[in-house]
Amino acid sequence: MGEVFSTTVRRVADGALSVGGCDVRDLAGAYGTPLYIVDEEDLRGRARAFREGFGAAFGRYGAEVDVYYASKALLSSKIARWMFEDDMCMDVASGGELEIALRGGMPPERIGLHGNNKSDAELRRALEAGVGRIIVDSMTEIETLNAIALELDLVAPVMVRITTGVHAGGHEYIATAHEDQKFGLSLASGAAFEALLECHDAAGLRLNGIHTHIGSQILSLDAFQESAERMLGLRAAFAADTGIWLDEVDLGGGFAIRYTPDDEELAPHRAAAGVADAVAAAVDKVGGPWPRFSIEPGRAIAGPAGMTLYRVGVVKHVALEDGGARQYVAVDGGMSDHMRTITYGASYTATVASRVSEAEPARSRVVGKHCESGDIVVKDVELPSDTSRGDLLAVPATGAYGRTMSNNYNALLRPAVVSVRDGEADVHIRRDTLEDLLSWDVAP
Ligand code: LLP
């Protein structure tokens, strides 16, 4: 099924798609559309590929590495359970994500808590639960967390989030280590160094290491190399000043995936070898003992494993100024379940999933049912010219930042998340109901 769909996707005998051994027509019938479908074998295979790939690549240098799944990409307590069973750690970025991870049975010591503006309640809960690391993001947080830890008579394990100045990845809004933005403490200005000293001196904190995340959808290993060099340079400077070599360095996530057949990916094994070699070169250059490393892939684990299934409603043919025509295929969801196209101008592809068509392909755009002309799911794709009401349409590579960024715009009901494997489907998140919607509204 091409390189964009997850590994178990096939066309069955009469031309419909199946995933994880389940016919998409049955899934649509059972769970409604739109529907987020997660290919369990694919997702867990990717998690394993990161863990084993990075384990082996760092192992060649006698070093150790932990893989934290960035749960903001896609989260359910059942996914947290998979991550636990597959020996992964998890990155959470709010109190809510933390609760879901804990509900799934992820041991707290394998959880890292992120966030540029954590509340007192979130910090307290994380400390009481015993999370393995809190990634502190500001001087204010360092003071606040220290005070809460002292009050609880606990010691908070912390890493400091560093803004290295390395700018990588796709859209400006998903690049995170350049200077002019809200995350982290700046390496260049000296704020990062100051924060390290502050954490080191704080009685309620145990400074474990440093963390950075340079952006998302990154293809270039050079960006990781630059980032590793700057991080290890900071670690060496801290050692020169205090005599302490920090134990841990986290290089974040951001490994690119394929959204369309034209895209390239940074596959786990290539990323592992590239990052390990880059880090080794940086350790050589900067000196000091190897720290324990960690990475935080989200999209590269969940993204390719997921697809969204829609039902086609209205099809229109619109004349274009260039003399051509565009087929507008409207589906029963849109920018409420699929935010990435309108937010980042992201590209996707789509295919008719309930049958094969012999009709000529037509220049098409997949749109939603919201009251906005920017409500686009797939901007440019060839779909059969006989695509019509009732057809199922599958959009691949929607596993990451699909459901987690969804909303109820126009009072639409958010789709269910269902995983499939060996012919069985399992509901992770049920579909919103009209009753849910009315229960959130307080009647006059
Ligand atoms: N670690 C940290 C600290 C992060 O902030 C992120 C993503 C990740 C790891 C995982 O990055 P990934 O491997 O998934 O690229 N909504 C945007 C992406 C925002 C990512 C924010 N942080 C999108 O849909 O592209």
Side-chain angles (χ1 to χ4, degrees):
M1 270 313 300
E3 288 159 329
V4 185
F5 277 95
S6 64
T7 45
T8 72
V9 172
R10 311 267 181 276
R11 287 268 174 200
V12 293
D14 63 356
L17 285 194
S18 86
V19 51
C22 298
D23 187 313
V24 295
R25 293 167 299 187
D26 298 336
L27 295 170
Y31 305 106
T33 51
L35 178 65
Y36 297 112
I37 305 172
V38 179
D39 186 337
E40 178 182 345
E41 199 178 299
D42 187 285
L43 189 149
R44 299 179 76 166
R46 285 174 203 280
R48 248 191 329 273
F50 272 102
R51 198 171 45 68
E52 292 171 0
F54 273 78
F58 278 75
R60 279 195 280 280
Y61 293 102
E64 288 187 294
V65 64
D66 296 305
V67 182
Y68 283 72
Y69 168 60
S71 67
K72 68 206 79 183
L74 176 66
L75 180 59
S76 65
S77 54
K78 288 180 181 176
I79 289 176
R81 177 62 55 94
W82 292 348
M83 293 300 126
F84 162 60
E85 290 172 356
D86 295 344
D87 295 325
M88 298 279 288
C89 301
M90 249 166 103
D91 139 10
V92 299
S94 71
E97 288 181 357
L98 174 60
E99 293 307 329
I100 297 172
L102 291 171
R103 173 191 257 190
M106 178 55 73
E109 61 276 12
R110 280 202 240 157
I111 298 177
L113 176 67
H114 278 280
N116 69 303
N117 182 21
K118 305 176 192 77
S119 69
D120 289 11
E122 285 172 321
L123 292 171
R124 191 178 293 271
R125 174 69 176 125
L127 272 180
E128 285 175 340
V131 303
R133 47 165 78 163
I134 297 176
I135 295 86
V136 294
D137 196 282
S138 64
M139 286 306 233
T140 307
E141 185 183 351
I142 291 169
E143 283 164 30
T144 309
L145 181 61
N146 185 44
I148 295 173
L150 292 175
E151 180 201 318
L152 295 175
D153 201 16
L154 293 169
V155 176
V158 301
M159 296 181 94
V160 176
R161 169 85 176 242
I162 311 294
T163 310
T164 59
V166 178
H167 181 123
H171 194 280
E172 181 192 351
Y173 292 169
I174 60 177
T176 52
H178 53 297
E179 295 284 339
D180 185 10
Q181 46 104 1
K182 69 172 185 168
F183 288 111
L185 288 137
S186 147
L187 181 62
S189 73
F193 199 88
E194 213 179 301
L196 289 176
L197 292 173
E198 193 73 22
C199 289
H200 175 56
D201 291 342
L205 308 184
R206 188 180 66 242
L207 176 60
N208 285 355
I210 45 180
H211 177 288
T212 194
H213 170 74
I214 52 177
S216 279
Q217 197 54 10
I218 301 168
L219 274 169
S220 148
L221 286 163
D222 296 349
F224 284 103
Q225 167 138 24
E226 187 60 40
S227 161
E229 251 178 49
R230 294 188 191 187
M231 290 290 277
L232 290 169
L234 172 64
R235 179 170 172 264
F238 186 72
D241 200 70
T242 62
I244 295 165
W245 288 97
L246 296 170
D247 292 333
E248 296 183 41
V249 174
D250 191 310
L251 295 175
F255 309 99
I257 66 163
R258 227 179 243 130
Y259 285 99
T260 75
D262 299 333
D263 292 337
E264 280 180 67
E265 67 172 343
L266 186 47
H269 288 93
R270 194 165 72 84
V275 173
D277 292 348
V279 160
V283 174
D284 261 0
K285 190 163 157 185
V286 177
W290 275 71
R292 187 180 184 94
F293 277 92
S294 45
I295 53 160
E296 292 174 336
R299 174 190 330 261
I301 290 175
M307 71 161 91
T308 310
L309 194 63
Y310 296 101
R311 181 83 64 184
V312 173
V314 169
V315 179
K316 271 185 199 167
H317 294 91
V318 175
L320 302 179
E321 278 174 5
D322 67 7
R326 191 181 330 267
Q327 173 172 258
Y328 272 84
V329 176
V331 295
D332 51 356
M335 60 184 282
S336 52
D337 61 77
H338 181 97
M339 284 286 288
R340 295 196 74 260
T341 300
I342 192 164
T343 311
Y344 313 117
S347 298
Y348 285 85
T349 185
T351 190
V352 172
S354 41
R355 62 186 176 99
V356 273
S357 167
E358 302 297 319
E360 283 296 304
R363 178 178 179 186
S364 304
R365 178 164 292 172
V366 180
V367 295
K369 59 179 287 164
H370 292 276
C371 297
E372 285 200 31
S373 51
D375 170 28
I376 295 169
V377 177
V378 184
K379 194 154 182 244
D380 284 303
V381 61
E382 299 225 310
L383 288 173
S385 51
D386 65 351
T387 303
S388 51
R389 191 173 183 87
D391 281 335
L392 289 172
L393 203 73
V395 177
T398 58
Y401 307 107
R403 166 67 207 200
T404 54
M405 288 174 67
S406 68
N407 59 73
N408 291 103
Y409 184 36
N410 293 135
L412 258 62
L413 304 175
R414 284 169 306 168
V417 177
V418 169
S419 72
V420 289
R421 177 175 202 137
D422 299 333
E424 305 277 343
D426 189 21
V427 178
H428 286 227
I429 302 176
R430 68 163 175 77
R431 183 177 169 73
D432 287 353
T433 62
L434 206 49
E435 291 71 45
D436 290 330
L437 205 67
L438 293 176
S439 73
W440 302 323
D441 175 83
V442 178

